[in-house]
């Protein structure tokens, strides 16, 4: 036998159980040195659980982990780090009130006589961010930066520790197309340097572009491992979902009706700088159309939605919804005519320590059907939650009484979408609604949004996914540095042209287009 074992990491016959669910059922995964190995599966298939076992966050009920052919015991993430294993989590493990730099070096600080060598640490982080094109503001607090920036912080945190086995759990879920291309190039560079990568993704394009091999999981079991050069997207999606999946959105021509949302000269201040994050923006959304706000993350989309939904104060301009001025209205009053699928499902979408059924009635518990004389009608809440869980295929270990925190990210997202769509309001604001979802769930959510449009709802979509923008929207508004720099018809434009508007290289002004 050769001195060098064929696999740098082997997970053999891993079984991991939670109350009511076998998350990993006798799974074997083998990672070669210097390869990019993708892990593909539906939401709740057990991918993140398997990687959390490798990183020491969970202990398996059965199975063995080997590194370079030798059995190892990984009791916690410190053991994993000592073995050179690093992980970028789908739901970031960052401390909101610390700066970016403090988060990156936390637990791996260089000290001298008991003092942290911040200059040295800063220099190393700056070199890494320059080398891999991961620009961040090291002095900003994590609570003030965008989700995309937090993703970069997680990647830099892993690189700072000089890990040789890198686990990426949905790393591109919050990145722009340009950032995804850069990350893919970075991953290939890591592999060339001899690092080994485990890459969890739902995006078949990305897996086909960078992975050498793919292991497919379905409902906690391993369906098989294939070489990417011997397969295609349709085959992989069939393996993953167990049925043929429609990869292209099927929708008819829109027939816009009356104006539902009208935004005039809107301004919202930035949390980070003393300037407008949303700078005199005007647009409208009519019944029966999907209007998409496209743009690179951090160009004011988050603040725009926060201004519309009442999460941030509007500092100028006006917002009219269904003929009523709601510029300074309370969140509850706005909610009368508006559903909101938020960008950050943990911060604004769910109460993580509540049960699934409690989360389903967060805005509706005061309605007569759910309460009587000030007391919650638990049987009505349970029946309602059970209906939505069934209808939207929300998978959880214990059904309606599952604690939201214990569910997979994709199923948390499905729960929010189920709740908001079922509220049946004239306007649906959907911010990255398919973030972290598998192809089967994306197909379902897209159909839901198109069905809402066809039922006469106004849909305002914010998406960083260019494919989603191009195929789902009836009109595209491009935001750049807080302003709308172009209005495009998806039938008349190209991804390349859209990219030029998003990067600020092109804009539509009063004098026509200027490069």
């Amino acid at each position: 036998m050769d001195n060098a074992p064929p696999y740098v990491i082997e997970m053999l016959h891993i079984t991991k159980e939670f109350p009511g669910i076998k998350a990993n059922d006798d799974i074997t995964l083998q990672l070669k040195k210097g390869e990019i190995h993708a892990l593909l599966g539906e939401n709740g298939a057990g991918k993140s659980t398997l990687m959390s076992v490798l990183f020491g966050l969970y202990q398996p009920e059965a199975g063995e982990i080997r590194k370079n052919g030798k059995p190892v015991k990984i009791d916690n993430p410190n053991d994993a780090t000592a073995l050179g294993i690093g992980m970028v989590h789908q739901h970031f493990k960052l401390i909101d009130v610390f700066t970016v730099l403090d988060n990156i070096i936390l637990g791996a600080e260089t000290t001298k006589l008991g003092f942290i060598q911040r200059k040295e640490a800063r220099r190393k982080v700056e070199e890494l961010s320059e080398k891999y094109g991961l620009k961040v503001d090291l002095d900003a607090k994590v609570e003030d930066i965008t989700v995309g920036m937090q993703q970069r912080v997680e990647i830099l945190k892993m690189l700072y520790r000089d890990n040789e086995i890198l686990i990426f759990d949905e790393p591109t879920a919050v990145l722009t197309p340009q950032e995804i291309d850069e990350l893919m190039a970075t991953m290939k560079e890591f592999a060339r340097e001899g690092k080994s990568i485990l890459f969890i993704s739902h995006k078949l394009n990305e897996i086909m572009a960078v992975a050498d091999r793919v292991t497919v999981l379905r409902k906690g079991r391993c369906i098989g491992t294939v070489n990417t050069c011997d397969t295609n997207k349709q085959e992989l999606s069939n393996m993953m979902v167990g049925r043929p999946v429609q990869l292209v959105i099927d929708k008819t021509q829109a027939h816009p009706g009356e104006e539902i949302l009208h935004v005039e000269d809107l301004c919202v201040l930035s949390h980070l700088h003393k300037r407008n994050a949303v700078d005199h923006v005007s647009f409208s959304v009519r019944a029966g159309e999907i209007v998409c706000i496209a743009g690179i993350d951090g160009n004011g989309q988050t603040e725009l939605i926060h201004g519309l939904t009442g999460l941030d104060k509007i500092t100028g301009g006006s917002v009219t919804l269904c003929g009523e001025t709601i510029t300074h209205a309370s969140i509850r009053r706005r909610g009368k005519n508006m559903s909101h699928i938020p960008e950050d499902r943990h911060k604004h979408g769910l109460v993580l320590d509540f049960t699934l059924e409690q989360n389903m009635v967060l805005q509706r518990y005061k309605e007569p059907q759910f309460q009587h004389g000030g007391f919650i009608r638990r049987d009505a809440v349970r029946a309602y939650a059970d209906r939505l869980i069934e209808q939207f295929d929300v998978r959880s270990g214990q059904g309606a009484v599952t604690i939201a925190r214990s569910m997979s990210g994709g199923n948390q997202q499905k729960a929010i979408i189920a709740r908001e769509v079922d509220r049946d309001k004239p306007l649906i604001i959907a911010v990255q609604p398919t973030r972290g979802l598998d192809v089967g769930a994306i197909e379902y959510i897209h159909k839901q949004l198109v069905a809402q449009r066809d039922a006469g709802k106004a849909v305002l979509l914010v998406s960083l996914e260019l494919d989603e923008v191009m195929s789902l929207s009836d009109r595209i508004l491009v935001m750049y540095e807080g302003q709308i720099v172009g209005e495009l018809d998806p039938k008349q434009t190209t991804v390349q042209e859209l990219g030029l508007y998003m990067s600020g290289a092109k804009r539509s002004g009063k004098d026509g287009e200027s490069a």
Side-chain angles (χ1 to χ4, degrees):
M1 191 178 158
D2 283 348
N3 293 339
Y7 299 112
V8 63
I9 286 287
E10 292 175 271
M11 301 185 77
L12 305 171
H13 308 291
I14 300 292
T15 296
K16 177 67 195 161
E17 295 184 41
F18 296 108
I21 196 163
K22 214 176 224 186
N24 294 151
D25 186 359
D26 191 26
I27 291 177
T28 292
L29 173 73
Q30 295 168 309
L31 175 69
K32 295 175 184 173
K33 184 169 173 60
E35 84 163 335
I36 299 176
H37 192 121
L39 200 52
L40 178 67
E42 288 185 282
N43 302 120
K47 307 179 301 296
S48 295
T49 302
L50 188 66
M51 291 301 97
S52 295
V53 167
L54 179 57
F55 195 58
L57 290 166
Y58 295 142
Q59 296 306 306
E61 273 74 43
E64 180 181 62
I65 298 173
R66 292 182 189 168
K67 185 180 180 208
N68 295 325
K70 296 193 179 89
V72 290
K73 186 91 177 81
I74 305 175
D75 288 326
N76 55 53
N78 290 340
D79 289 352
T81 303
L83 289 166
I85 301 169
M87 182 167 179
V88 173
H89 301 269
Q90 183 183 1
H91 297 123
F92 311 135
K93 311 283 185 192
L94 300 173
I95 296 172
D96 279 0
V97 295
F98 277 20
T99 64
V100 165
L101 180 63
D102 287 342
N103 267 286
I104 291 170
I105 66 174
L106 184 65
E109 303 89 343
T110 311
T111 58
K112 193 172 177 183
L113 302 173
F115 291 96
I116 295 174
Q117 300 296 292
R118 297 182 71 83
K119 248 187 190 152
E120 203 179 302
R122 178 180 280 269
R123 185 182 52 74
K124 182 175 175 182
V125 175
E126 281 171 350
E127 278 173 12
L128 285 169
S129 97
E130 189 61 42
K131 180 179 177 184
Y132 295 112
L134 297 162
K135 298 265 187 297
V136 286
D137 179 353
L138 294 180
D139 300 311
K141 282 190 176 173
V142 164
E143 63 188 355
D144 293 330
I145 62 176
T146 65
V147 184
M149 282 294 164
Q150 290 177 30
Q151 171 74 277
R152 293 181 186 189
V153 176
E154 280 278 16
I155 294 170
L156 284 167
K157 198 164 99 177
M158 188 166 68
L159 297 176
Y160 185 78
R161 283 156 181 73
D162 302 317
N163 291 317
E164 61 189 74
I165 293 143
L166 312 179
I167 304 167
F168 287 91
D169 188 354
E170 297 285 350
T172 61
V174 292
L175 302 182
T176 62
Q178 290 86 342
E179 288 169 330
I180 288 170
D181 291 342
E182 283 162 18
L183 178 66
M184 296 291 148
T186 305
M187 283 165 76
K188 284 181 172 170
E189 182 60 35
F190 289 156
R192 274 194 294 274
E193 287 173 8
K195 295 184 193 294
S196 309
I197 296 172
L198 281 162
F199 168 45
I200 298 179
S201 180
H202 296 115
K203 299 179 184 174
L204 299 168
N205 293 350
E206 291 168 11
I207 286 176
M208 294 303 290
V210 293
D212 301 303
R213 293 190 301 147
V214 190
T215 294
V216 182
L217 303 186
R218 189 184 333 139
K219 294 186 178 171
R221 302 201 72 135
C222 183
I223 300 299
T225 299
V226 292
N227 295 321
T228 42
C229 57
D230 301 331
T231 188
N232 58 49
K233 288 195 296 186
Q234 195 65 57
E235 257 176 44
L236 285 176
S237 66
N238 291 2
M239 277 176 82
M240 172 172 141
V241 184
R243 64 174 174 83
V245 176
Q246 199 178 341
L247 297 173
V248 181
I249 300 165
D250 190 18
K251 69 183 178 61
T252 55
Q253 179 73 27
H255 299 288
E258 60 177 335
E259 187 177 79
I260 299 292
L261 176 71
H262 183 77
V263 177
E264 189 72 49
D265 233 14
L266 190 72
C267 295
V268 180
L269 273 178
S270 163
H271 288 283
L272 278 177
H273 314 285
K274 299 243 181 305
R275 60 175 175 76
N276 284 334
V278 179
D279 191 12
H280 299 282
V281 162
S282 300
F283 66 92
S284 64
V285 188
R286 292 172 294 171
E289 69 169 348
I290 297 175
V291 174
C292 182
I293 307 274
I296 293 169
D297 199 21
N299 277 277
Q301 305 96 309
T302 299
E303 290 84 355
L304 170 67
I305 298 305
H306 283 188
L308 295 178
T309 54
L311 291 170
D312 274 348
K313 255 188 158 149
I314 290 170
T315 52
S318 67
V319 180
T320 309
L321 178 60
C322 297
E324 181 189 359
T325 302
I326 57 158
T327 315
H328 303 296
S330 67
I331 292 179
R332 180 161 290 203
R333 194 169 128 216
R334 290 168 201 244
K336 273 193 344 195
N337 290 312
M338 174 195 297
S339 288
H340 176 210
I341 298 161
E343 175 180 14
D344 190 330
R345 56 181 165 243
H346 282 183
K347 213 178 199 173
H348 300 125
L350 297 164
V351 181
L352 289 171
D353 293 315
F354 277 17
T355 60
L356 185 50
E357 64 184 4
Q358 287 170 325
N359 274 290
M360 290 298 200
V361 294
L362 277 182
Q363 297 113 306
R364 305 188 62 175
Y365 64 90
K366 286 192 166 185
E367 293 177 11
Q369 60 174 319
F370 297 124
Q371 60 91 23
H372 180 69
F375 291 94
I376 300 281
R377 295 178 54 200
R378 296 192 185 282
D379 53 343
V381 171
R382 174 72 48 87
Y384 177 70
D386 285 343
R387 176 172 72 77
L388 290 192
I389 289 166
E390 169 87 15
Q391 193 182 330
F392 286 79
D393 189 27
V394 182
R395 294 182 193 173
S396 56
Q398 297 162 287
V401 296
T402 308
I403 300 297
R405 187 184 295 281
S406 71
M407 291 162 56
S408 75
N411 281 297
Q412 291 174 349
Q413 185 74 357
K414 282 198 215 170
I416 295 169
I417 287 165
R419 179 185 73 205
E420 296 303 321
V421 165
D422 199 73
R423 287 180 61 221
D424 199 25
K425 302 299 177 189
L427 174 69
I428 296 175
I429 296 179
V431 189
Q432 294 182 57
T434 57
R435 180 186 152 206
L437 294 183
D438 60 67
V439 284
I442 288 171
E443 173 194 45
Y444 184 79
I445 299 311
H446 284 168
K447 281 181 176 169
Q448 286 293 327
L449 289 174
V450 171
Q452 291 299 304
R453 178 202 80 165
D454 294 344
K457 304 285 196 308
V459 182
L460 179 62
L461 172 73
V462 177
S463 178
L464 303 176
E465 300 282 342
L466 282 191
D467 290 348
E468 185 167 75
V469 172
M470 293 296 281
S471 56
L472 205 52
S473 52
D474 300 308
R475 278 193 296 138
I476 303 170
L477 304 174
V478 186
M479 267 190 101
Y480 177 70
E481 292 188 343
Q483 297 182 327
I484 287 179
V485 294
E487 179 173 328
L488 306 170
D489 179 344
K491 291 195 198 72
Q492 309 290 325
T493 190
T494 61
V495 170
Q496 287 71 24
E497 186 182 19
L498 185 54
L500 287 174
Y501 278 99
M502 285 166 67
S503 63
K506 194 173 184 183
R507 58 170 63 209
S508 311
K510 290 188 176 71
D511 316 319
E513 291 175 356
S514 62

